[in-house]
Amino acid sequence: MKIGPIGVWPPVVLAPMAGITNAPFRVLCREQGAGLFVCEMITTRALVERNPKTLRMIRFAESERPRSIQLYGVDPAVVGRAVRMIAEEDLADHVDLNFGCPVPKVTRRGGGSALPYKRNLLRRILREAVANAGSLPVTMKMRKGIDDDHLTYLDAGRIAAEEGVAAIALHARTARQHYGGVADWEAIARLKEAVPEIPVLGNGDIWCADDALRMVARTGCDGVVVGRGCLGRPWLFRDLENAFNGGSERATPTLGEVADVMERHAEGLAECFDIERYAVADFRKHVGWYLKGFTVGSELRRELATAESLDGLRAGLAKLERDQPWPPNTDTPRGKSGERSKVLLPDGWLDDPWDCPIPGADAESDISGG
């Protein structure tokens, strides 16, 4: 798969996830298998204002090539400035734009998965991004639309192709679906038919490598984007590489091997954040994902999920039954789930899909997803 000048094999992309796909997690995934590994989402306004926290978030490990940044922005001019900054200062090799976030605090201000409904605003943002990217490829990630009555993905895909976007990723759910229900893989096939001139990547309900192969076979998409499926499972990228190369081998780590990865993950966070206590607290959300399916007592789970230091975490990990084999039937949903009763939008947002209101600065959020 080619994304501009970047060759990607296997055709697999790690989806940017806020608070998840920081450098330590990306390194763990990249060690397992090849692909394109995108950093957690960065807001364009914070980047151009050189917010110190934001600048720390775009640090890449020495081993990370190519470097991919996902941007979230709602103002064409600000998005253009952010992309130009990335290109001129050599901050990354690839820029992805987020139009998929379904979180109410984002959509109610016209951002995320609400924005592609305004076709001309979407076009202006994409045009500014591509014009300022220089030789860097620009891609976009989106959802099917706001809800089943307001689908936008085919129009958005055609606009993206016309404006020089290098590839499109479609999470085959609407904003109303949030992360619930079943992803509509047929929509991925329809998008590929609509824009055959650029790569289309499918996203949604890939919980194991065989799901990825099924998606490609069923939809004709050029590659896949993996998000929640790799939570607590960085070795999924080893499985994906084996699968796309025709191999049948799949990773089945013992609990001891999982514990070793957990320790490395937490240590990487401590090195990245510089403050051990903060890093260990950030790691807590990963504990349940790593241990899913294994037999671990509630007290030990609680100890691991409330550790306040690396030594405390290591002490808990040492109590695990290291020889316990990989549990069967664990390729099931992880992370966010559930649908929304409605999508919150700005007043009058649905009145005219062609007008071009630029949402205010408060529409930029540090919440990613989609």
Side-chain angles (χ1 to χ4, degrees):
M1 181 176 66
K2 296 283 288 185
I3 296 181
I6 300 173
V8 183
W9 187 263
V12 173
V13 176
L14 167 64
M17 293 177 279
I20 305 291
T21 56
N22 43 41
F25 185 71
R26 294 195 307 270
V27 168
L28 286 177
C29 294
R30 189 183 290 270
E31 287 176 352
Q32 299 292 325
L36 196 62
F37 300 86
V38 188
C39 83
E40 51 190 324
M41 187 194 74
I42 303 297
T43 61
T44 55
R45 197 172 299 275
L47 182 61
V48 299
E49 292 174 357
R50 297 186 181 274
N51 176 275
K53 178 182 176 182
T54 298
L55 294 178
R56 286 195 300 271
M57 289 172 66
I58 62 173
R59 291 186 301 187
F60 290 89
E62 287 294 326
S63 62
E64 293 192 81
R65 285 290 189 278
R67 303 158 299 166
S68 296
I69 287 180
Q70 187 185 71
L71 294 179
Y72 171 91
V74 296
D75 185 318
V78 178
V79 171
R81 288 169 58 196
V83 174
R84 185 168 66 252
M85 177 179 169
I86 291 170
E88 291 180 349
E89 299 182 20
D90 190 29
L91 299 178
D93 306 301
H94 158 235
V95 175
D96 185 53
L97 299 177
N98 180 310
F99 298 107
C101 184
V103 176
K105 68 177 290 187
V106 172
T107 60
R108 72 186 301 173
R109 295 179 173 88
S113 52
L115 195 146
Y117 187 76
K118 299 297 188 181
R119 274 71 165 176
N120 287 332
L121 177 58
L122 175 69
R123 186 182 293 278
R124 285 185 59 191
I125 291 174
L126 296 177
R127 183 170 294 176
E128 284 292 323
V130 172
N132 284 279
S135 62
L136 303 185
V138 175
T139 61
M140 65 179 282
K141 186 168 186 275
M142 62 181 179
R143 284 182 173 240
K144 288 172 56 182
I146 292 171
D147 54 35
D148 287 339
D149 295 324
H150 302 90
L151 299 177
T152 56
Y153 70 103
L154 294 179
D155 282 350
R158 295 187 189 101
I159 290 169
E162 291 166 3
E163 295 301 328
V165 168
I168 307 170
L170 176 65
H171 183 163
R173 287 181 170 88
T174 63
R176 186 181 182 280
Q177 281 184 278
H178 204 62
Y179 294 93
V182 177
D184 176 16
W185 288 5
E186 297 310 311
I188 299 169
R190 289 190 288 272
L191 179 61
K192 182 59 190 174
E193 291 174 357
V195 288
E197 63 268 41
I198 60 175
V200 169
L201 295 91
N203 177 221
D205 294 347
I206 295 178
W207 307 111
C208 66
D210 293 329
D211 289 337
L213 296 183
R214 282 191 289 271
M215 176 184 280
V216 171
R218 186 182 303 177
T219 69
C221 67
D222 301 279
V224 300
V225 177
V226 178
R228 294 174 297 153
C230 68
L231 296 177
R233 302 286 190 274
W235 46 85
L236 175 58
F237 291 93
R238 187 194 325 167
D239 290 350
L240 288 162
E241 183 164 3
N242 287 337
F244 278 105
N245 285 326
S248 59
E249 182 182 355
R250 302 292 181 263
T252 56
T254 64
L255 183 52
E257 291 169 326
V258 172
D260 292 341
V261 173
M262 294 173 70
E263 183 175 352
R264 283 195 59 218
H265 191 168
E267 290 172 344
L269 290 173
E271 183 177 340
C272 178
F273 295 149
D274 297 327
I275 301 174
E276 180 178 317
R277 184 175 61 180
Y278 177 74
V280 174
D282 185 78
F283 179 73
R284 290 172 181 170
K285 59 178 171 279
H286 295 273
V287 171
W289 297 328
Y290 275 114
L291 298 182
K292 183 172 182 178
F294 287 104
T295 302
V296 179
S298 58
E299 290 188 10
L300 181 51
R301 284 179 181 268
R302 189 178 306 110
E303 177 181 344
L304 291 166
T306 58
E308 296 183 352
S309 67
L310 286 175
D311 284 342
L313 180 65
R314 293 185 186 108
L317 294 173
K319 298 176 185 178
L320 293 171
E321 182 186 341
R322 292 186 60 86
D323 292 337
Q324 190 176 144
W326 177 254
N329 304 318
T330 57
D331 296 327
T332 54
R334 290 179 291 283
K336 304 170 185 177
S337 62
E339 299 190 6
R340 302 286 184 181
S341 58
K342 64 178 181 179
V343 180
L344 299 181
L345 299 167
D347 291 340
W349 191 254
L350 297 178
D351 292 349
D352 183 355
W354 300 104
D355 66 351
C356 194
I358 297 176
D362 59 354
E364 291 219 11
S365 171
D366 60 358
I367 296 175
S368 72

